[in-house]
Amino acid sequence: MIDFVNVTKIYDGDSEFALKDLTLSIDEGEFVFLVGKSGAGKSTIIKLLLKEILPTSGKILVSGTDLSQIKERDLPYYRRKVGVVFQDYRLLETKTVFENVAFSMEAIQTPRRTINRVVPKVLNMVGLRTQARKYPSALAGGEQQRVAIARSIVNNPKILICDEPTGNLDPVTSAGIMNLLMDINSLGTTIMVATHDMTMVDRMKKRVISLKDGELVSDRVGGYYK
Amino acid sequence: MIETFGVFLRDAINNIKRNSVMSIASVLSVISALIIVGVVMAIAINVNYITDQVEDSLELKVYLEDNITDEQQKAIYDSINSMESVSDIKYQSKLDALNSFRETLGEDNSIIISGYNEDNSPLPAAYIVKFNEASEIENASKKINELDGVMDTVYGEDTVKALLSFNKFIHLATWIVLAILSLIAVFIIFNTVKLTVFSRRNEISIMKYIGATNTFIRFPFIIEGMLLGVFGACCSVLLLRNLYYFIVGALAGTTSVLPLGQSLAPADLVMKQISVVFVFYGIFLGTMGSAFSIKKFLNV
């Protein structure tokens, strides 16, 4: 599903490697943790997967498509297959919970009738059905992250990328978010979670890809954070 | 398609409401830019209107020799009539000329020509010729002067020359001022809209991550710019209309508004021209301002 083939990334004006000759493969339906200290290359992998940046060398394939071959005008259609959740939620403060989630569907021109049918179901799935009319500022951190997750999965992406999804949350709330991601994964969505949260990674016993200074240091299924 | 446009329009209206401070700033910048442009336009329209009046009053007098034959007179008439720029020809007999002169002198002074009548009028008969364009008079005058039976041709040479150069200057000045003001207006609006767009860069970046196309992201902003532009234009038209009525009303009581007795352009004429231009101009300013401002934020 996701293949990094000898990917190297050096940012403009920087002499250090952000990623160095990285080769890895993630299968469809997998749940993968991406771990490592700040600057290890986790965010670079996410940016590359979103085609926000291009690799200096190497190839990235998603469902067999070489990302470097995707033209600028086709990029939005590619991004619809990849959901993304950020540590800071990035919700629209001027929109309600329902509107924030519906916004994802409006952005890809989904008919209003479908939006009205699907959004409540997704809000139900993330446990926020009763909060639909509230604004993000009225919600707790964990609830805001649930809205962000609902927004990212409402269009049924094949891949869900989470960048430090529990970075701002307490352990109990974090566990709730992880359970939600597991539920989404059980429906067939490939999930990649970049995190620092050692306890959570240890508890989940999923595949863990460890990075250090842009290099792959370990890749173990059921492995622990080292 | 209609549903998508509905979403764009709804988003644009909601965005205007939610970002009311920036929306008001945008409308105010459109109003201030258009008011300045409008004042220049109103001045230009009035100058045109007044010069048209002066042009209409300009005439060429073709004095005929006393001993002119009917054939010569007909030849002169035909020659003048064949000129494309001529709009009107009137014949003034010797008696008409005498009567006209008598009128000009007034009752008190006309005594000095009291001994003259149709048979012994000292004034020559003439053709009074009017032209569509003041610039044509000089050439026509030279040609007519060469015809047999023409004693002399007279027109307000200095007035025509002054009018022509004044007209040329005003046209040039109007275009230059309008071009400069338009640039300033676009710049002001561009910056205001840029601030609006900047305040919503988070929204734009989310849309990009979600997979919205650039067109989808851009359209609500463009519609928003368009709506603000039209609203600003309507406000400017209303303000200018009231200002113009006030000026016309204030000048109506005074007898000699302009040195040659011309009048200001009627408010309806001025506002009709300005309104049409403003609505399009407002749409143009708002749309361009939005389109250019958002471009930078689309590269995520």
Side-chain angles (χ1 to χ4, degrees):
Chain A
M1 174 119 218
I2 301 171
D3 292 287
F4 277 63
V5 184
N6 304 115
V7 175
T8 294
K9 177 67 188 177
I10 303 170
Y11 287 101
D12 289 343
D14 202 348
S15 57
E16 306 262 310
F17 285 96
L19 279 184
K20 194 175 178 185
D21 200 26
L22 180 75
T23 297
L24 63 87
S25 187
I26 297 167
D27 290 334
E28 192 171 346
E30 264 197 281
F31 192 118
V32 177
F33 282 111
L34 212 53
V35 299
K37 290 178 183 169
S38 293
K42 304 189 297 290
S43 296
T44 302
I45 289 179
I46 291 173
K47 283 179 183 170
L48 286 166
L49 268 177
L50 291 169
K51 211 185 173 227
E52 211 177 298
I53 53 170
L54 293 170
T56 309
S57 66
K59 241 186 211 181
I60 300 162
L61 303 159
V62 174
S63 302
T65 307
D66 183 348
L67 295 195
S68 65
Q69 300 302 311
I70 296 175
K71 289 179 183 153
E72 193 60 34
R73 66 165 183 273
D74 295 324
L75 188 57
Y77 304 100
Y78 162 70
R79 284 187 176 163
R80 290 174 194 184
K81 293 179 197 160
V82 184
V84 59
V85 175
F86 299 97
Q87 180 177 358
D88 56 0
Y89 326 128
R90 298 201 193 169
L91 299 176
L92 299 172
E93 295 298 324
T94 54
K95 289 184 190 282
T96 63
V97 167
F98 184 97
E99 287 168 343
N100 263 285
V101 179
F103 183 66
S104 257
M105 300 184 86
E106 285 168 359
I108 61 166
Q109 287 145 285
T110 311
R112 175 52 49 185
R113 216 187 303 165
T114 313
I115 295 175
N116 289 338
R117 184 167 47 80
V118 173
V119 174
K121 279 186 187 170
V122 176
L123 286 179
N124 198 33
M125 185 183 173
V126 300
L128 289 175
R129 184 143 204 181
T130 55
Q131 318 275 44
R133 290 185 179 187
K134 287 188 177 166
Y135 283 91
S137 56
L139 301 177
E143 289 173 323
Q144 291 194 44
Q145 192 59 293
R146 282 170 186 271
V147 179
I149 292 171
R151 183 182 63 191
S152 65
I153 61 165
V154 75
N155 290 325
N156 277 322
K158 301 252 183 237
I159 304 165
L160 179 61
I161 299 171
C162 306
D163 189 5
E164 303 283 1
T166 55
N168 292 340
L169 305 174
D170 63 72
V172 177
T173 313
S174 296
I177 293 293
M178 276 302 144
N179 289 338
L180 175 60
L181 292 177
M182 289 282 287
D183 289 344
I184 295 164
N185 179 238
S186 67
L187 298 172
T189 309
T190 307
I191 296 191
M192 180 190 268
V193 180
T195 185
H196 280 113
D197 195 337
M198 196 187 290
T199 325
M200 188 181 65
V201 173
D202 284 348
R203 187 176 65 82
M204 299 281 288
K205 295 188 171 60
K206 292 283 180 184
R207 180 179 169 190
V208 181
I209 297 170
S210 299
L211 298 164
K212 190 182 177 191
D213 299 330
E215 287 186 83
L216 183 70
V217 290
S218 78
D219 182 355
R220 286 187 287 182
V221 178
Y224 296 86
Y225 193 165
K226 299 248 163 135
Chain B
M1 188 71 189
I2 294 168
E3 191 176 354
T4 307
F5 185 77
V7 171
F8 287 155
L9 192 64
R10 191 200 65 202
D11 272 6
I13 293 168
N14 283 341
N15 287 337
I16 290 172
K17 282 191 217 158
R18 282 168 178 167
N19 302 286
S20 52
V21 174
M22 290 313 294
S23 302
I24 291 168
S26 299
V27 170
L28 284 178
S29 64
V30 172
I31 292 175
S32 50
L34 287 184
I35 289 271
I36 302 169
V37 172
V39 168
V40 174
M41 271 185 76
I43 292 171
I45 291 169
N46 269 288
V47 168
N48 256 336
Y49 188 79
I50 291 163
T51 49
D52 276 353
Q53 289 175 66
V54 176
E55 259 185 71
D56 285 348
S57 68
L58 286 175
E59 54 190 27
L60 173 72
K61 274 201 167 176
V62 180
Y63 292 113
L64 306 174
E65 286 174 354
D66 281 348
N67 55 357
I68 192 168
T69 64
D70 287 347
E71 287 76 28
Q72 279 176 326
Q73 191 172 331
K74 188 174 181 304
I76 292 167
Y77 179 85
D78 290 343
S79 178
I80 297 171
N81 202 28
S82 67
M83 291 177 177
E84 269 183 31
S85 54
V86 169
S87 63
D88 188 41
I89 312 171
K90 266 187 197 144
Y91 177 70
Q92 186 181 51
S93 66
K94 289 167 74 75
L95 179 63
D96 293 338
L98 190 65
N99 288 338
S100 170
F101 189 44
R102 198 166 271 143
E103 261 179 46
T104 312
L105 288 174
E107 255 182 54
D108 297 341
N109 299 321
S110 64
I111 193 153
I112 56 169
I113 53 168
S114 61
Y116 294 105
N117 56 40
E118 190 175 3
D119 299 326
N120 64 353
S121 167
L123 301 173
Y127 280 119
I128 299 166
V129 188
K130 288 202 170 182
F131 291 82
N132 292 321
E133 294 288 333
S135 58
E136 304 289 338
I137 298 182
E138 192 177 358
N139 269 340
S141 168
K142 278 180 191 164
K143 280 184 193 165
I144 295 167
N145 221 349
E146 288 166 4
L147 299 173
D148 284 342
V150 172
M151 184 200 293
D152 198 6
T153 54
V154 175
Y155 67 97
E157 199 175 341
D158 292 341
T159 314
V160 170
K161 280 186 177 162
L163 179 73
L164 287 176
S165 61
F166 181 63
N167 229 348
K168 213 170 162 184
F169 167 76
I170 285 294
H171 270 112
L172 188 69
T174 306
W175 281 114
I176 292 172
V177 171
L178 278 181
I180 294 170
L181 287 176
S182 298
L183 279 177
I184 295 171
V186 170
F187 183 75
I188 295 171
I189 289 160
F190 172 75
N191 276 299
T192 316
V193 179
K194 207 160 120 183
L195 282 175
T196 315
V197 175
F198 182 76
S199 68
R200 280 156 58 192
R201 64 196 181 284
N202 189 26
E203 195 175 326
I204 296 171
S205 82
I206 291 168
M207 288 173 101
K208 291 289 290 183
Y209 285 125
I210 287 167
T213 57
N214 284 351
T215 312
F216 185 88
I217 298 172
R218 202 180 273 134
F219 256 85
F221 282 97
I222 290 178
I223 293 175
E224 192 179 329
M226 216 184 272
L227 290 176
L228 292 176
V230 171
F231 186 66
C234 292
C235 292
S236 321
V237 168
L238 278 177
L239 283 169
L240 271 174
R241 184 177 165 274
N242 287 334
L243 183 69
Y244 195 78
Y245 272 118
F246 173 77
I247 293 172
V248 171
L251 292 179
T254 57
T255 46
S256 55
V257 176
L258 294 159
L260 297 171
Q262 296 83 9
S263 58
L264 286 178
D268 288 349
L269 175 84
V270 176
M271 293 322 296
K272 205 169 150 189
Q273 290 188 36
I274 287 181
S275 306
V276 175
V277 171
F278 269 29
V279 170
F280 285 107
Y281 204 50
I283 291 175
F284 171 78
L285 289 177
T287 311
M288 285 295 128
S290 298
F292 283 117
S293 312
I294 196 171
K295 212 173 165 222
K296 183 181 154 190
F297 296 96
L298 288 176
N299 301 321
V300 178

